[in-house]
């Protein structure tokens, strides 16, 4: 049986890696095409023959071929380790994303808590990258990233608490099931839950979660850590070749991961009415991926719509608006849960 | 000893403990503050793995979220915002006499804690366990609700202290106008 365990573990790890890489590549392609359409240009067109679908692959191959330049002044060991730490924090989220009742690499009792804990490891990696580069732009970028990630981790966690109160569990599978069995005033038929109940009850939480996700991902309008006009490329300035690719993939993989978590928490995850659990294992992934694609499109749309905030505006938004509103949301949710 | 070796979990424990020991040694001996903090990350990660071996999942992710995700990040942030030169820092080194003293104190602490634990539990197995989040919540807000609330007061005091230290005096603001 022990061999069986290691074989299963190996297959699961390969699947997690595969889903992450494909998700990242597809969302990179999505960003290329959508940004092009939003700016009235064509975007990638030739690679792969049609729509330029092979452009992310071509870019990836190009990065792998490139020489990796490691400047003289960097702290070599930390510099080399940093991208792995960042990618590890992102990849570990994929372990608990439920694509179906049984289509999950590990259904943890602590699901959401695990996601929030493990994703904070990436912050350490970003700081490592910023410091070890031995470059003041990198250091500034790393510091900005850390300040931003700490500030927005709080609203992210607090926004999730409302959902956890309603569902009564931290397990991601449990939260999806709780949404499937939600009853409005105890009489409503189950099929009505196609409109995700938590999207309505936790609309405030959902808005806070999406805003905080954008900041956690350092995407416009919260991309100060890598603001080109001020910091060259922030903590990525000295990276090249394969290690830069790892950061790049990590960014998009993180976007897909947070979109998946948001879909699971607020949009009902893989669930569909009138479908048995066995069938849901096959249809569930399609449902979840559709929701992820919608949210990823939203993230990309925001990037090409909003200008960048200032650093103090960023901090004010987190501490003066998002956190108090999230706390109020928790109080209201808890009171309503007790009353009804 | 034979019994000890036949358990796979013990091998995992030995590997993690050795790695943690080395990382902890690097925390105090490394000649660069940031390297020391990163070694501390490895040590804390090791302690998380030890809790995982014990089946205390909630503690594992609390260690990761609170210590690695918050405390260490604040350490790194504080160091980098003040001064964090790359490479060897001479002033972090100490004369041999101080090092010997430190080694003695550390060794004594280890022996004291180790002896206390062995004396208290011996070969007795701790079977009663609270591992799921629900159980922990019930315990915290049931039997241990008073200590829990007292701890929250400590946090509140720390928060107020932080705000008092960080805010500008109203007089200073008047001067700036």
């Amino acid at each position: 049986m022990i061999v069986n365990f290691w074989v299963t573990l190996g297959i699961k790890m390969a699947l997690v890696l595969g889903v992450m890489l494909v998700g990242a590549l597809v969302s990179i392609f999505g960003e290329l095409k959508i940004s092009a359409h939003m700016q009235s240009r064509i975007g990638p067109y030739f690679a792969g023959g049609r729509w330029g679908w092979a452009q992310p692959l071509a870019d990836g191959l190009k990065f792998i071929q490139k020489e990796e330049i490691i400047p003289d002044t960097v702290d070599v060991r930390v510099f080399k380790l940093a991208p792995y730490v960042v990618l590890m924090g992102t990849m570990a989220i994929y372990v608990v994303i439920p694509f179906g009742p049984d289509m999950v690499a590990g259904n943890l009792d602590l699901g959401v808590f695990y996601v929030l804990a493990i994703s904070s490891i990436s912050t350490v990696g970003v700081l490592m990258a910023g410091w070890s580069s031995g470059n003041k732009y990198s250091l500034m970028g790393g510091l900005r990233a850390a300040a931003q990630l700490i500030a927005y981790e709080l609203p992210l966690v607090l926004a999730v608490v409302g959902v956890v109160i309603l569902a009564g569990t931290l397990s991601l599978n449990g939260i999806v099931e709780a949404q499937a069995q939600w009853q409005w005033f105890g009489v409503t038929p189950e099929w009505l839950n196609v409109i995700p109940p938590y999207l309505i009850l936790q609309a405030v939480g959902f808005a806070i979660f999406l805003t905080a996700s954008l900041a956690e991902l350092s995407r416009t309008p919260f991309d100060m850590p890598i603001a080109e006009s001020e910091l060259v490329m922030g903590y990525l300035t000295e990276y090249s070749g394969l290690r830069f690719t790892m950061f790049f993939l990590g960014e998009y993989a993180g976007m897909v991961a947070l979109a998946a978590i948001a879909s699971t928490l607020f949009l009902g995850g893989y669930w569909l009415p009138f479908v048995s659990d066995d069938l849901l294992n096959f249809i569930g992934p399609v449902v979840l991926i559709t929701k992820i694609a919608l949210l990823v499109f939203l993230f990309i749309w925001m990037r090409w719509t909003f200008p960048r905030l200032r650093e103090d505006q960023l901090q004010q938004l987190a501490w003066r608006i998002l956190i108090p509103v999230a706390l109020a949301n928790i109080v209201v949710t808890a009171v309503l849960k007790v009353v009804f | 000893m034979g019994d000890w070796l036949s358990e796979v979990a013990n091998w995992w424990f030995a590997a993690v403990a050795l790695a943690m020991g080395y990382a902890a040694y690097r925390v105090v001996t490394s000649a660069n503050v940031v390297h020391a903090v990163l070694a501390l990350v490895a040590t804390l990660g090791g302690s998380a793995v030890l809790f995982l071996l014990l089946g205390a999942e909630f503690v594992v992710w609390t260690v990761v979220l609170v210590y690695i995700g918050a405390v260490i990040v604040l350490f790194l942030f504080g160091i980098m915002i003040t001064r964090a030169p790359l490479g060897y820092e001479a002033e972090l080194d100490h004369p041999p006499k101080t090092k010997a003293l430190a080694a003695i104190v550390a060794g004594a602490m280890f022996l004291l804690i180790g002896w206390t634990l062995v004396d208290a539990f011996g070969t007795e197995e701790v079977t009663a366990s609270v591992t799921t989040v629900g159980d922990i919540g019930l315990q915290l807000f049931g039997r241990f609700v008073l200590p829990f609330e007292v701890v929250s007061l400590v946090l509140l005091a720390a928060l107020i202290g932080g705000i008092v230290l960080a805010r500008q005096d109203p007089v200073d603001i008047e001067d700036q106008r």
Side-chain angles (χ1 to χ4, degrees), chain A residues 182-205:
Chain A
W182 180 261
Q183 288 190 322
W184 294 97
F185 309 108
V187 284
T188 330
E190 199 178 74
W191 58 262
L192 198 70
N193 288 336
V194 190
I195 308 160
Y198 293 177
L199 183 62
I200 300 161
L201 290 168
Q202 289 295 316
V204 180

PDB file of all heavy atoms in Angstrom, chain A residues 182-205:
ATOM      1  N   TRP A 182     -28.085  25.657   0.358  1.00  0.00           N
ATOM      2  CA  TRP A 182     -28.610  26.867   0.983  1.00  0.00           C
ATOM      3  C   TRP A 182     -30.117  26.963   0.773  1.00  0.00           C
ATOM      4  O   TRP A 182     -30.642  26.636  -0.279  1.00  0.00           O
ATOM      5  CB  TRP A 182     -27.928  28.093   0.387  1.00  0.00           C
ATOM      6  CG  TRP A 182     -28.432  29.351   1.001  1.00  0.00           C
ATOM      7  CD1 TRP A 182     -29.356  30.198   0.497  1.00  0.00           C
ATOM      8  CD2 TRP A 182     -28.041  29.883   2.258  1.00  0.00           C
ATOM      9  NE1 TRP A 182     -29.565  31.233   1.359  1.00  0.00           N
ATOM     10  CE2 TRP A 182     -28.775  31.066   2.448  1.00  0.00           C
ATOM     11  CE3 TRP A 182     -27.142  29.485   3.252  1.00  0.00           C
ATOM     12  CZ2 TRP A 182     -28.640  31.856   3.586  1.00  0.00           C
ATOM     13  CZ3 TRP A 182     -27.005  30.262   4.385  1.00  0.00           C
ATOM     14  CH2 TRP A 182     -27.744  31.428   4.539  1.00  0.00           C
ATOM     15  N   GLN A 183     -30.830  27.398   1.824  1.00  0.00           N
ATOM     16  CA  GLN A 183     -32.277  27.573   1.693  1.00  0.00           C
ATOM     17  C   GLN A 183     -32.641  28.981   2.116  1.00  0.00           C
ATOM     18  O   GLN A 183     -32.318  29.398   3.220  1.00  0.00           O
ATOM     19  CB  GLN A 183     -33.008  26.576   2.597  1.00  0.00           C
ATOM     20  CG  GLN A 183     -32.911  25.164   2.058  1.00  0.00           C
ATOM     21  CD  GLN A 183     -33.829  24.243   2.818  1.00  0.00           C
ATOM     22  OE1 GLN A 183     -33.987  24.364   4.018  1.00  0.00           O
ATOM     23  NE2 GLN A 183     -34.461  23.324   2.098  1.00  0.00           N
ATOM     24  N   TRP A 184     -33.314  29.659   1.204  1.00  0.00           N
ATOM     25  CA  TRP A 184     -33.813  30.986   1.555  1.00  0.00           C
ATOM     26  C   TRP A 184     -35.052  30.802   2.423  1.00  0.00           C
ATOM     27  O   TRP A 184     -36.049  30.263   1.973  1.00  0.00           O
ATOM     28  CB  TRP A 184     -34.175  31.771   0.295  1.00  0.00           C
ATOM     29  CG  TRP A 184     -33.000  32.107  -0.557  1.00  0.00           C
ATOM     30  CD1 TRP A 184     -32.560  31.439  -1.643  1.00  0.00           C
ATOM     31  CD2 TRP A 184     -32.105  33.199  -0.388  1.00  0.00           C
ATOM     32  NE1 TRP A 184     -31.452  32.029  -2.164  1.00  0.00           N
ATOM     33  CE2 TRP A 184     -31.150  33.125  -1.413  1.00  0.00           C
ATOM     34  CE3 TRP A 184     -32.013  34.237   0.556  1.00  0.00           C
ATOM     35  CZ2 TRP A 184     -30.115  34.044  -1.534  1.00  0.00           C
ATOM     36  CZ3 TRP A 184     -30.986  35.147   0.436  1.00  0.00           C
ATOM     37  CH2 TRP A 184     -30.059  35.052  -0.602  1.00  0.00           C
ATOM     38  N   PHE A 185     -35.020  31.218   3.655  1.00  0.00           N
ATOM     39  CA  PHE A 185     -36.134  31.140   4.603  1.00  0.00           C
ATOM     40  C   PHE A 185     -36.692  29.726   4.714  1.00  0.00           C
ATOM     41  O   PHE A 185     -37.853  29.521   5.001  1.00  0.00           O
ATOM     42  CB  PHE A 185     -37.270  32.116   4.186  1.00  0.00           C
ATOM     43  CG  PHE A 185     -36.756  33.507   3.943  1.00  0.00           C
ATOM     44  CD1 PHE A 185     -36.678  34.018   2.653  1.00  0.00           C
ATOM     45  CD2 PHE A 185     -36.328  34.282   5.009  1.00  0.00           C
ATOM     46  CE1 PHE A 185     -36.187  35.286   2.437  1.00  0.00           C
ATOM     47  CE2 PHE A 185     -35.843  35.555   4.780  1.00  0.00           C
ATOM     48  CZ  PHE A 185     -35.776  36.059   3.506  1.00  0.00           C
ATOM     49  N   GLY A 186     -35.840  28.720   4.442  1.00  0.00           N
ATOM     50  CA  GLY A 186     -36.212  27.341   4.693  1.00  0.00           C
ATOM     51  C   GLY A 186     -37.200  26.713   3.745  1.00  0.00           C
ATOM     52  O   GLY A 186     -37.665  25.619   3.969  1.00  0.00           O
ATOM     53  N   VAL A 187     -37.567  27.396   2.644  1.00  0.00           N
ATOM     54  CA  VAL A 187     -38.590  26.813   1.765  1.00  0.00           C
ATOM     55  C   VAL A 187     -38.122  26.696   0.309  1.00  0.00           C
ATOM     56  O   VAL A 187     -38.731  25.987  -0.470  1.00  0.00           O
ATOM     57  CB  VAL A 187     -39.888  27.651   1.785  1.00  0.00           C
ATOM     58  CG1 VAL A 187     -40.643  27.390   3.073  1.00  0.00           C
ATOM     59  CG2 VAL A 187     -39.588  29.108   1.609  1.00  0.00           C
ATOM     60  N   THR A 188     -37.065  27.384  -0.044  1.00  0.00           N
ATOM     61  CA  THR A 188     -36.731  27.516  -1.456  1.00  0.00           C
ATOM     62  C   THR A 188     -36.220  26.207  -2.047  1.00  0.00           C
ATOM     63  O   THR A 188     -35.506  25.464  -1.391  1.00  0.00           O
ATOM     64  CB  THR A 188     -35.643  28.587  -1.622  1.00  0.00           C
ATOM     65  OG1 THR A 188     -35.822  29.521  -0.592  1.00  0.00           O
ATOM     66  CG2 THR A 188     -35.728  29.241  -2.964  1.00  0.00           C
ATOM     67  N   PRO A 189     -36.596  25.887  -3.299  1.00  0.00           N
ATOM     68  CA  PRO A 189     -36.048  24.701  -3.958  1.00  0.00           C
ATOM     69  C   PRO A 189     -34.551  24.865  -4.239  1.00  0.00           C
ATOM     70  O   PRO A 189     -34.063  25.980  -4.397  1.00  0.00           O
ATOM     71  CB  PRO A 189     -36.842  24.619  -5.262  1.00  0.00           C
ATOM     72  CG  PRO A 189     -37.311  26.009  -5.514  1.00  0.00           C
ATOM     73  CD  PRO A 189     -37.559  26.594  -4.171  1.00  0.00           C
ATOM     74  N   GLU A 190     -33.882  23.712  -4.322  1.00  0.00           N
ATOM     75  CA  GLU A 190     -32.427  23.715  -4.438  1.00  0.00           C
ATOM     76  C   GLU A 190     -31.935  24.352  -5.735  1.00  0.00           C
ATOM     77  O   GLU A 190     -30.894  24.997  -5.761  1.00  0.00           O
ATOM     78  CB  GLU A 190     -31.926  22.274  -4.351  1.00  0.00           C
ATOM     79  CG  GLU A 190     -30.462  22.160  -4.008  1.00  0.00           C
ATOM     80  CD  GLU A 190     -30.053  20.706  -3.885  1.00  0.00           C
ATOM     81  OE1 GLU A 190     -29.944  20.045  -4.926  1.00  0.00           O
ATOM     82  OE2 GLU A 190     -29.836  20.237  -2.761  1.00  0.00           O
ATOM     83  N   TRP A 191     -32.730  24.196  -6.815  1.00  0.00           N
ATOM     84  CA  TRP A 191     -32.224  24.666  -8.120  1.00  0.00           C
ATOM     85  C   TRP A 191     -32.019  26.174  -8.147  1.00  0.00           C
ATOM     86  O   TRP A 191     -31.279  26.701  -8.971  1.00  0.00           O
ATOM     87  CB  TRP A 191     -33.147  24.233  -9.270  1.00  0.00           C
ATOM     88  CG  TRP A 191     -34.568  24.710  -9.148  1.00  0.00           C
ATOM     89  CD1 TRP A 191     -35.627  24.008  -8.661  1.00  0.00           C
ATOM     90  CD2 TRP A 191     -35.087  25.989  -9.506  1.00  0.00           C
ATOM     91  NE1 TRP A 191     -36.763  24.767  -8.684  1.00  0.00           N
ATOM     92  CE2 TRP A 191     -36.471  25.978  -9.205  1.00  0.00           C
ATOM     93  CE3 TRP A 191     -34.526  27.138 -10.070  1.00  0.00           C
ATOM     94  CZ2 TRP A 191     -37.282  27.081  -9.432  1.00  0.00           C
ATOM     95  CZ3 TRP A 191     -35.349  28.239 -10.294  1.00  0.00           C
ATOM     96  CH2 TRP A 191     -36.700  28.207  -9.969  1.00  0.00           C
ATOM     97  N   LEU A 192     -32.685  26.873  -7.230  1.00  0.00           N
ATOM     98  CA  LEU A 192     -32.552  28.328  -7.221  1.00  0.00           C
ATOM     99  C   LEU A 192     -31.119  28.750  -6.868  1.00  0.00           C
ATOM    100  O   LEU A 192     -30.704  29.874  -7.149  1.00  0.00           O
ATOM    101  CB  LEU A 192     -33.529  28.939  -6.218  1.00  0.00           C
ATOM    102  CG  LEU A 192     -33.777  30.436  -6.424  1.00  0.00           C
ATOM    103  CD1 LEU A 192     -34.569  30.677  -7.688  1.00  0.00           C
ATOM    104  CD2 LEU A 192     -34.522  31.011  -5.234  1.00  0.00           C
ATOM    105  N   ASN A 193     -30.350  27.803  -6.282  1.00  0.00           N
ATOM    106  CA  ASN A 193     -28.986  28.142  -5.894  1.00  0.00           C
ATOM    107  C   ASN A 193     -28.038  28.261  -7.081  1.00  0.00           C
ATOM    108  O   ASN A 193     -26.836  28.416  -6.889  1.00  0.00           O
ATOM    109  CB  ASN A 193     -28.445  27.122  -4.894  1.00  0.00           C
ATOM    110  CG  ASN A 193     -29.110  27.295  -3.549  1.00  0.00           C
ATOM    111  OD1 ASN A 193     -29.594  28.366  -3.221  1.00  0.00           O
ATOM    112  ND2 ASN A 193     -29.159  26.227  -2.777  1.00  0.00           N
ATOM    113  N   VAL A 194     -28.587  28.147  -8.317  1.00  0.00           N
ATOM    114  CA  VAL A 194     -27.764  28.452  -9.494  1.00  0.00           C
ATOM    115  C   VAL A 194     -27.277  29.898  -9.364  1.00  0.00           C
ATOM    116  O   VAL A 194     -26.165  30.240  -9.736  1.00  0.00           O
ATOM    117  CB  VAL A 194     -28.579  28.308 -10.795  1.00  0.00           C
ATOM    118  CG1 VAL A 194     -27.650  28.391 -11.985  1.00  0.00           C
ATOM    119  CG2 VAL A 194     -29.334  27.021 -10.790  1.00  0.00           C
ATOM    120  N   ILE A 195     -28.192  30.759  -8.837  1.00  0.00           N
ATOM    121  CA  ILE A 195     -27.746  32.101  -8.460  1.00  0.00           C
ATOM    122  C   ILE A 195     -27.045  31.927  -7.124  1.00  0.00           C
ATOM    123  O   ILE A 195     -27.697  31.627  -6.135  1.00  0.00           O
ATOM    124  CB  ILE A 195     -28.942  33.056  -8.285  1.00  0.00           C
ATOM    125  CG1 ILE A 195     -29.822  33.011  -9.521  1.00  0.00           C
ATOM    126  CG2 ILE A 195     -28.478  34.454  -7.976  1.00  0.00           C
ATOM    127  CD1 ILE A 195     -31.220  33.524  -9.261  1.00  0.00           C
ATOM    128  N   PRO A 196     -25.709  32.048  -7.107  1.00  0.00           N
ATOM    129  CA  PRO A 196     -24.978  31.696  -5.882  1.00  0.00           C
ATOM    130  C   PRO A 196     -25.483  32.508  -4.692  1.00  0.00           C
ATOM    131  O   PRO A 196     -25.497  33.735  -4.755  1.00  0.00           O
ATOM    132  CB  PRO A 196     -23.538  32.077  -6.210  1.00  0.00           C
ATOM    133  CG  PRO A 196     -23.492  32.232  -7.679  1.00  0.00           C
ATOM    134  CD  PRO A 196     -24.853  32.580  -8.147  1.00  0.00           C
ATOM    135  N   PRO A 197     -25.944  31.848  -3.626  1.00  0.00           N
ATOM    136  CA  PRO A 197     -26.501  32.584  -2.485  1.00  0.00           C
ATOM    137  C   PRO A 197     -25.498  33.523  -1.828  1.00  0.00           C
ATOM    138  O   PRO A 197     -25.873  34.600  -1.378  1.00  0.00           O
ATOM    139  CB  PRO A 197     -26.932  31.469  -1.525  1.00  0.00           C
ATOM    140  CG  PRO A 197     -26.190  30.268  -1.960  1.00  0.00           C
ATOM    141  CD  PRO A 197     -25.999  30.396  -3.423  1.00  0.00           C
ATOM    142  N   TYR A 198     -24.211  33.107  -1.791  1.00  0.00           N
ATOM    143  CA  TYR A 198     -23.236  33.951  -1.092  1.00  0.00           C
ATOM    144  C   TYR A 198     -22.880  35.194  -1.907  1.00  0.00           C
ATOM    145  O   TYR A 198     -22.376  36.166  -1.369  1.00  0.00           O
ATOM    146  CB  TYR A 198     -21.960  33.167  -0.770  1.00  0.00           C
ATOM    147  CG  TYR A 198     -22.166  32.080   0.246  1.00  0.00           C
ATOM    148  CD1 TYR A 198     -21.136  31.226   0.602  1.00  0.00           C
ATOM    149  CD2 TYR A 198     -23.405  31.902   0.851  1.00  0.00           C
ATOM    150  CE1 TYR A 198     -21.333  30.231   1.531  1.00  0.00           C
ATOM    151  CE2 TYR A 198     -23.607  30.908   1.767  1.00  0.00           C
ATOM    152  CZ  TYR A 198     -22.575  30.076   2.110  1.00  0.00           C
ATOM    153  OH  TYR A 198     -22.764  29.085   3.021  1.00  0.00           O
ATOM    154  N   LEU A 199     -23.146  35.120  -3.230  1.00  0.00           N
ATOM    155  CA  LEU A 199     -22.895  36.317  -4.045  1.00  0.00           C
ATOM    156  C   LEU A 199     -23.835  37.435  -3.610  1.00  0.00           C
ATOM    157  O   LEU A 199     -23.474  38.614  -3.621  1.00  0.00           O
ATOM    158  CB  LEU A 199     -23.117  35.985  -5.524  1.00  0.00           C
ATOM    159  CG  LEU A 199     -22.829  37.113  -6.511  1.00  0.00           C
ATOM    160  CD1 LEU A 199     -21.368  37.517  -6.438  1.00  0.00           C
ATOM    161  CD2 LEU A 199     -23.180  36.700  -7.917  1.00  0.00           C
ATOM    162  N   ILE A 200     -25.044  37.055  -3.176  1.00  0.00           N
ATOM    163  CA  ILE A 200     -26.011  38.054  -2.731  1.00  0.00           C
ATOM    164  C   ILE A 200     -25.785  38.407  -1.270  1.00  0.00           C
ATOM    165  O   ILE A 200     -25.683  39.584  -0.906  1.00  0.00           O
ATOM    166  CB  ILE A 200     -27.447  37.505  -2.929  1.00  0.00           C
ATOM    167  CG1 ILE A 200     -27.670  37.211  -4.412  1.00  0.00           C
ATOM    168  CG2 ILE A 200     -28.477  38.473  -2.388  1.00  0.00           C
ATOM    169  CD1 ILE A 200     -28.811  36.284  -4.694  1.00  0.00           C
ATOM    170  N   LEU A 201     -25.637  37.365  -0.419  1.00  0.00           N
ATOM    171  CA  LEU A 201     -25.512  37.625   1.024  1.00  0.00           C
ATOM    172  C   LEU A 201     -24.164  38.239   1.372  1.00  0.00           C
ATOM    173  O   LEU A 201     -24.053  39.003   2.321  1.00  0.00           O
ATOM    174  CB  LEU A 201     -25.690  36.310   1.789  1.00  0.00           C
ATOM    175  CG  LEU A 201     -27.098  35.763   1.777  1.00  0.00           C
ATOM    176  CD1 LEU A 201     -27.122  34.349   2.297  1.00  0.00           C
ATOM    177  CD2 LEU A 201     -27.992  36.644   2.627  1.00  0.00           C
ATOM    178  N   GLN A 202     -23.135  37.865   0.614  1.00  0.00           N
ATOM    179  CA  GLN A 202     -21.788  38.344   0.917  1.00  0.00           C
ATOM    180  C   GLN A 202     -21.273  39.247  -0.201  1.00  0.00           C
ATOM    181  O   GLN A 202     -20.093  39.222  -0.535  1.00  0.00           O
ATOM    182  CB  GLN A 202     -20.827  37.158   1.105  1.00  0.00           C
ATOM    183  CG  GLN A 202     -21.062  36.380   2.377  1.00  0.00           C
ATOM    184  CD  GLN A 202     -20.770  37.208   3.609  1.00  0.00           C
ATOM    185  OE1 GLN A 202     -19.767  37.906   3.672  1.00  0.00           O
ATOM    186  NE2 GLN A 202     -21.654  37.167   4.577  1.00  0.00           N
ATOM    187  N   ALA A 203     -22.178  40.039  -0.791  1.00  0.00           N
ATOM    188  CA  ALA A 203     -21.749  40.902  -1.898  1.00  0.00           C
ATOM    189  C   ALA A 203     -20.622  41.828  -1.456  1.00  0.00           C
ATOM    190  O   ALA A 203     -19.642  42.038  -2.182  1.00  0.00           O
ATOM    191  CB  ALA A 203     -22.938  41.718  -2.402  1.00  0.00           C
ATOM    192  N   VAL A 204     -20.735  42.351  -0.231  1.00  0.00           N
ATOM    193  CA  VAL A 204     -19.691  43.229   0.295  1.00  0.00           C
ATOM    194  C   VAL A 204     -18.378  42.468   0.419  1.00  0.00           C
ATOM    195  O   VAL A 204     -17.315  42.931  -0.005  1.00  0.00           O
ATOM    196  CB  VAL A 204     -20.116  43.806   1.660  1.00  0.00           C
ATOM    197  CG1 VAL A 204     -19.043  44.715   2.212  1.00  0.00           C
ATOM    198  CG2 VAL A 204     -21.428  44.528   1.523  1.00  0.00           C
ATOM    199  N   GLY A 205     -18.480  41.258   1.001  1.00  0.00           N
ATOM    200  CA  GLY A 205     -17.288  40.432   1.160  1.00  0.00           C
ATOM    201  C   GLY A 205     -16.646  40.117  -0.177  1.00  0.00           C
ATOM    202  O   GLY A 205     -15.418  40.154  -0.313  1.00  0.00           O
TER     203      GLY A 205
END
